[in-house]
Amino acid sequence: MEEKFPFEKIEREILIKVEEKSNKIYGKTPEERTIKESLNYGIININKSQGPSSHQITDYVKKILEIDKAGHSGTLDPNVTGSLVIGLGRSTRVIHNLLKAGKEYVCLMHLHTKQNENEIKQAINSFVTKIEQMPPVRSAVKRRKRQREIYYIKTHEIKNNQDVLFTVGCEAGTYIRKLCHDIGLKLNTKAHMQQLIRTRVGPFDQKTMHSLYELKDAFELYKEGNEKELKKIIMPVETAIEHLPKIWISDHAVDPLCHGTDLAIPGIIKLESHIKENDTVAILTLKDELVATGISKLNSEKIKDLEKGIAIITKKIFMKKDTYQKYSKS
């Protein structure tokens, strides 16, 4: 079974509309940002420990980094560990885009009665589809049936025909505790979730996870003049939109977008293929800086071929005004 999220299955090509380079005097590549800038435009993937709530972990991050604003990508129960993606400063506005990117968990499920191993695997695999779930009584959302998609499940180990260790990739908002319960019903028994670790949130995986202790140590080194370790932990805001289709724009189109205008076709230099109407799209400078996100009014082919018209309705702006001068030329 292919262990990929939907966005990873799309092979996008870059389509060039015109040849143009960015003026060096405006902006900078994400890698060139200072730590101070990263504290306002950065993303951290915290390896959440058991006990604290997601809100408490976010507060700890703010205190460690001595910043006023941070926000997390989706609540983890206090007993659940693993990936908690936190946006710093203006990056909090990009976090909601991760909700459509998919999440992955490693789960230990306990069946209340012994079952045939092959039947356990068959029951689990039958859930790799679109399923309906009712949110639990203690949840932050309205209790009504919701459809969620299970992208893949891989069973790693079945012990004593009752304890099952598996990895599941699923749409955000899937309740793994409820999934375990439903797998039990499929096997005509009861089942419950014993332990859960979130291993992926969209493009963020275990390779980018760091503990609060690592973050604190890295920040102390930074205050002493060594920023190397902190640079490893704080990722550019652009890493949070890796799963989105992208459009790159001319320097002279940047500042109007920062003032709230929609993106017109003449401002587009290049774009990725397979953009569909109503897709959420990331708009970047030619230096790969995130300017804004928006909703596409046209597909890739029309954007590539047309010479005028509105291509993207701007929704959220991330770049500060006047970072690029209006009508600047390279």
Side-chain angles (χ1 to χ4, degrees):
M1 190 180 298
E2 193 175 31
E3 296 173 32
K4 288 185 176 181
F5 292 158
F7 77 88
E8 295 175 300
K9 298 178 183 179
I10 303 172
E11 295 183 6
R12 299 186 188 274
E13 299 176 16
I14 294 180
L15 309 175
I16 308 293
K17 278 184 71 72
V18 293
E19 294 288 345
E20 186 175 308
K21 290 184 178 180
S22 182
N23 193 322
K24 294 179 181 179
I25 67 173
Y26 302 116
K28 61 179 66 175
T29 66
E31 293 74 25
E32 291 174 323
R33 291 186 189 126
T34 64
I35 290 292
K36 188 175 180 180
E37 289 168 330
S38 295
L39 290 173
N40 195 34
Y41 285 97
I43 302 286
I44 296 177
N45 187 10
I46 290 293
N47 187 358
K48 179 189 170 298
S49 58
Q50 191 173 29
S53 68
S54 299
H55 181 72
Q56 286 174 316
I57 295 290
T58 304
D59 278 344
Y60 295 155
V61 167
K62 287 195 291 186
K63 288 175 183 175
I64 290 170
L65 297 178
E66 300 172 6
I67 58 176
D68 296 325
K69 190 177 181 182
H72 61 77
S73 61
T75 302
L76 277 178
D77 288 345
N79 287 330
V80 178
T81 63
S83 178
L84 184 68
V85 179
I86 295 175
L88 311 178
R90 291 173 70 91
S91 296
T92 57
R93 296 166 59 80
V94 81
I95 291 296
H96 80 283
N97 288 297
L98 290 171
L99 295 177
K100 296 181 180 179
K103 295 182 179 180
E104 182 187 87
Y105 300 86
V106 173
C107 176
L108 179 61
M109 174 181 69
H110 178 73
L111 300 168
H112 291 200
T113 58
K114 291 183 182 292
Q115 302 289 318
N116 176 275
E117 188 168 312
N118 286 331
E119 290 180 359
I120 293 172
K121 290 179 179 178
Q122 288 175 7
I124 289 173
N125 290 337
S126 72
F127 283 86
V128 183
T129 182
K130 290 183 179 178
I131 62 173
E132 283 194 341
Q133 287 192 326
M134 178 76 78
V137 175
R138 292 182 180 180
S139 66
V141 298
K142 189 175 181 179
R143 292 199 76 227
R144 62 184 178 202
K145 281 192 175 182
R146 307 187 302 172
Q147 190 178 77
R148 290 292 183 267
E149 185 172 358
I150 305 296
Y151 304 132
Y152 56 83
I153 300 181
K154 182 178 181 180
T155 303
H156 300 291
E157 184 180 354
I158 300 174
K159 190 176 180 180
N160 300 325
N161 291 60
Q162 277 187 282
D163 294 304
V164 187
L165 182 68
F166 64 88
T167 294
V168 53
C170 55
E171 187 176 351
T174 304
Y175 291 95
I176 307 302
R177 194 182 303 276
K178 183 68 168 61
L179 176 64
C180 291
H181 172 79
D182 291 345
I183 291 171
L185 293 180
K186 186 88 172 181
L187 291 163
N188 295 313
T189 187
K190 291 183 178 180
H192 68 268
M193 183 186 82
Q194 279 195 318
Q195 189 175 356
L196 190 67
I197 303 170
R198 187 156 70 190
T199 49
R200 281 192 67 190
V201 176
F204 299 95
D205 58 21
Q206 295 180 80
K207 295 175 184 176
T208 60
M209 272 196 266
H210 296 274
S211 69
L212 287 172
Y213 297 109
E214 289 175 305
L215 180 64
K216 185 172 178 56
D217 288 346
F219 192 70
E220 290 302 318
L221 285 171
Y222 162 67
K223 289 197 291 186
E224 293 170 8
N226 181 357
E227 62 181 32
K228 184 179 176 181
E229 294 305 314
L230 194 57
K231 270 189 170 292
K232 290 179 184 176
I233 296 176
I234 302 179
M235 295 169 281
V237 62
E238 288 78 11
T239 54
I241 50 91
E242 284 181 8
H243 61 291
L244 296 180
K246 298 168 188 63
I247 286 179
W248 290 263
I249 61 175
S250 175
D251 283 3
H252 69 75
V254 175
D255 199 58
L257 249 67
C258 293
H259 283 81
T261 64
D262 295 325
L263 178 60
I265 288 175
I268 297 172
I269 303 302
K270 57 184 179 179
L271 65 148
E272 287 188 330
S273 62
H274 302 294
I275 294 174
K276 303 189 297 292
E277 286 184 41
N278 298 317
D279 273 356
T280 298
V281 176
I283 304 169
L284 307 173
T285 70
L286 293 175
K287 297 184 183 75
D288 292 325
E289 305 155 281
L290 178 63
V291 180
T293 56
I295 304 298
S296 178
K297 288 189 67 179
L298 305 168
N299 61 34
S300 291
E301 291 74 19
K302 288 182 179 178
I303 295 172
K304 173 73 165 59
D305 294 337
L306 294 175
E307 295 182 0
K308 60 182 180 179
I310 298 297
I312 309 294
I313 304 298
T314 305
K315 290 297 181 183
K316 286 189 179 292
I317 300 163
F318 300 95
M319 183 171 281
K320 288 183 178 179
K321 297 173 184 177
D322 302 320
T323 303
Y324 281 65
Q325 281 191 11
K326 200 172 183 180
Y327 308 120
S328 63
K329 297 291 182 181
S330 57

